Amino acid sequence: MTYTYSLKTHNREEMIDITSYIQESVESSKIEEGILIVYVPHTTAAVTVNENADPSVRKDITDFLRDKIPKSKEYSHLEGNADSHIKSTLVGSSLTLIIENGKLLLGTWQGIYFCEFDGPRNRNFRVKIIEG
């Protein structure tokens, strides 16, 4: 089963909690045991798992990436978003997660985040669920 979700980002760089979309996919699938893949088909966006209890963690991650990979550096890529491509490569375009007893297996404080590095844009991501 594959699910496609759309979202609108509002800032050049932001992390959007998409955990509820992923949980919705698991519930809709009715699969009790399996794996789930979240895939972002964009070269300037990514997906990650991290703490979702304290929103300052998202800010710290975004600030760190912005500091270490600045937009203002002179890059060879001429579109003005080379930093976004580098950030998405480092964070990654996909996740593999476990479904157990019909539930997404996440740690107590974990959430799933869509990472925008070249917004605002209309984006999408896909969720593939494999039973087994």
Side-chain angles (χ1 to χ4, degrees):
M1 284 174 198
T2 303
Y3 302 86
T4 301
Y5 295 96
S6 298
L7 54 90
K8 171 121 179 85
T9 63
H10 301 284
N11 301 300
R12 183 164 195 278
E13 299 168 330
E14 65 182 301
M15 294 176 66
I16 300 168
D17 186 349
I18 59 170
T19 310
S20 63
Y21 293 97
I22 310 306
Q23 289 173 328
E24 176 184 302
S25 298
V26 172
E27 291 168 11
S28 176
S29 76
K30 308 263 192 263
I31 290 176
E32 289 295 312
E33 305 287 327
I35 60 171
L36 176 147
I37 300 162
V38 183
Y39 174 68
V40 174
H42 304 288
T43 61
T44 57
V47 65
T48 193
V49 171
N50 215 298
E51 181 178 330
N52 70 350
D54 181 355
S56 67
V57 172
R58 288 181 274 176
K59 180 184 181 321
D60 290 342
I61 292 168
T62 304
D63 288 350
F64 176 85
L65 290 171
R66 187 181 306 117
D67 179 59
K68 300 302 178 199
I69 310 162
K71 183 178 193 290
S72 60
K73 187 177 187 294
E74 289 188 32
Y75 298 100
S76 299
H77 184 57
L78 299 177
E79 292 179 18
N81 64 352
D83 65 308
S84 304
H85 291 290
I86 295 166
K87 291 168 189 167
S88 69
T89 296
L90 293 175
V91 175
S93 62
S94 66
L95 296 172
T96 303
L97 303 166
I98 297 170
I99 299 169
E100 195 171 88
N101 298 318
K103 304 265 185 228
L104 185 60
L105 189 62
L106 286 174
T108 302
W109 306 112
Q110 289 183 318
I112 305 162
Y113 291 95
F114 183 95
C115 305
E116 175 64 77
F117 298 121
D118 194 29
R121 292 180 183 249
N122 292 315
R123 298 290 200 170
N124 64 68
F125 62 93
R126 292 186 176 85
V127 176
K128 177 75 173 181
I129 298 178
I130 303 167
E131 189 171 16

